[in-house]
């Protein structure tokens, strides 16, 4: 895939390269090389020694029960997010403005299904079944990312989601390519490469709108206004209130704190918004020479907690749709199981 330089755009607008995403992709490639090197090393030693040496824990290795359970929770939540995350954009597939945009969006949404599958498979290596994980989502015991509980009101939301939501996902997920659990780290490498494409397609789509008619431009700005703070909230609560962070950092599952990643995302977005010619909806956003970072207004964490607890604009709709899809797919699961059983007896 060609990932640098200008986009070749059949709609007559050249989109400048997305600065920042190239650097992140380089980080994914370095993590991939490190993973290969780790796989070549023999003799793992104790759990602590493996973590200390920055090697990978594999499914058959002895691991603390809390490490195993914590990873199941995290990977499952991530997998559920990929699957539920297909809904807001799936909403626009039939209404995409051109065949080209429809094909791109369809491919993107399909990628998210694939991400869900890699992640469910990674979680299964920790001793849970796909059925248990699905049941935990449907019963509400496990969560998915709150960002998907916001509605997609206009076509410009497809651009804003790709740019900001997939962009925040990449910033969150690139460090996971170096996470200490091998199957998760390996799944994340592939996911991050695809997320990079998602971010670029969103940015390009938004760029076209931002350079279009006044109405298209207004639509693009409105979408950015609505998605900016929910995207910032994707990094989770502030470090002072984050419950799982310290242990996750010690076990090298998490490599950077929520606030560090949020800052990295803001620093990446500001110059990109300039190229788009769109305004990020934060009057206090400004470069801080001393810190070497942009100052910004944090998201409303009370709102985040309300949405996490089920009170977002689309929580009920998303879960009702997921349950319906699960019920309507029952015959497929039964047929697949019957076919598999037939293969065993033949
Ligand atoms: Fe994804
Ligand atoms: Fe994505």
């Amino acid at each position: 895939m060609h990932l640098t330089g200008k986009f070749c755009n059949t709609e007559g607008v050249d989109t400048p390269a997305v600065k920042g995403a190239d650097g992140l992709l380089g980080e994914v490639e370095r993590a991939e090389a490190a993973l290969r090197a780790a796989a070549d090393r023999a003799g793992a030693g104790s759990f602590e020694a493996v973590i200390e040496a920055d090697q990978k824990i594999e499914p058959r290795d002895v691991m603390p029960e809390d490490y195993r359970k914590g990873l199941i929770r995290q990977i499952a939540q991530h997998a559920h997010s990929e699957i539920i995350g297909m809904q807001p954009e799936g909403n626009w597939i039939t209404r995409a403005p051109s065949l080209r945009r429809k094909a791109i969006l369809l491919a993107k949404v399909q990628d998210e299904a694939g991400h869900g599958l890699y992640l469910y498979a990674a979680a299964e290596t920790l001793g849970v079944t796909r059925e248990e994980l699905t049941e935990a989502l449907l019963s509400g015991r496990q969560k998915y990312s709150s960002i998907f509980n916001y509605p997609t009101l206009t076509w410009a939301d497809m651009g804003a989601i790709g740019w900001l939501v997939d962009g925040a996902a990449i910033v969150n997920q690139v460090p996971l390519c170096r996470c200490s659990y091998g199957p998760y780290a390996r799944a994340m490498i592939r996911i991050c490469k695809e997320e990079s494409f998602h971010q670029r397609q969103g940015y390009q789509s938004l760029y076209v709108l931002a350079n279009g008619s006044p109405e298209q431009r207004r639509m693009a700005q409105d979408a950015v206004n609505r998605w900016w703070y929910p995207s910032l909230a994707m990094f989770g609560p502030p470090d002072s209130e984050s419950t799982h962070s310290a242990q996750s950092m010690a076990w090298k599952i998490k490599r950077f704190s929520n606030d560090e990643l949020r800052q990295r995302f803001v620093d990446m977005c500001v110059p990109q918004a300039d190229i788009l010619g769109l305004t990020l909806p934060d009057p206090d956003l400004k470069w801080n020479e001393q810190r070497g970072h942009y100052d910004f207004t944090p998201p409303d964490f009370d709102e985040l907690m309300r949405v996490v607890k089920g009170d977002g604009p689309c929580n009920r709709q998303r879960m009702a749709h997921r349950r319906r899809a699960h019920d309507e797919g029952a015959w497929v699961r039964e047929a697949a199981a019957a076919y598999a059983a037939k293969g065993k007896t033949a």
Side-chain angles (χ1 to χ4, degrees), residues 170-237:
I170 298 171
V171 171
N172 248 330
Q173 292 171 8
V174 163
L176 290 172
C177 297
R178 293 191 290 125
C179 125
S180 60
Y181 189 57
Y184 193 25
R186 287 189 286 274
M188 290 319 302
I189 298 232
R190 183 156 174 193
I191 290 175
C192 282
K193 287 182 180 178
E194 292 176 357
E195 294 298 357
S196 174
F197 156 72
H198 296 174
Q199 192 212 16
R200 282 151 180 275
Q201 68 79 34
Y203 188 82
Q204 198 269 346
S205 178
L206 209 54
Y207 189 88
V208 169
L209 292 174
N211 287 280
S213 67
E215 200 177 334
Q216 286 175 318
R217 200 181 157 68
R218 265 198 304 278
M219 197 164 80
Q221 183 61 59
D222 170 66
V224 170
N225 292 350
R226 284 181 290 105
W227 288 97
W228 174 245
Y229 282 107
S231 302
L232 289 188
M234 283 174 73
F235 296 91

Side-chain angles (χ1 to χ4, degrees), residues 112-181:
E112 307 300 5
H115 297 172
L117 295 183
Y118 313 154
L119 289 164
Y120 282 127
E124 281 184 312
T125 65
L126 290 158
V128 279
T129 64
R130 176 85 177 271
E131 290 72 23
E132 285 166 336
L133 297 173
T134 305
E135 172 49 35
L137 170 67
L138 296 181
S139 67
R141 273 186 297 117
Q142 285 177 348
K143 304 268 180 235
Y144 56 89
S145 175
S146 281
I147 190 81
F148 302 118
N149 290 317
Y150 290 87
T152 43
L153 303 179
T154 72
W155 169 253
D157 287 21
M158 300 304 96
I161 287 181
W163 177 41
L164 295 173
V165 177
D166 290 276
I170 298 171
V171 171
N172 248 330
Q173 292 171 8
V174 163
L176 290 172
C177 297
R178 293 191 290 125
C179 125
S180 60
Y181 189 57

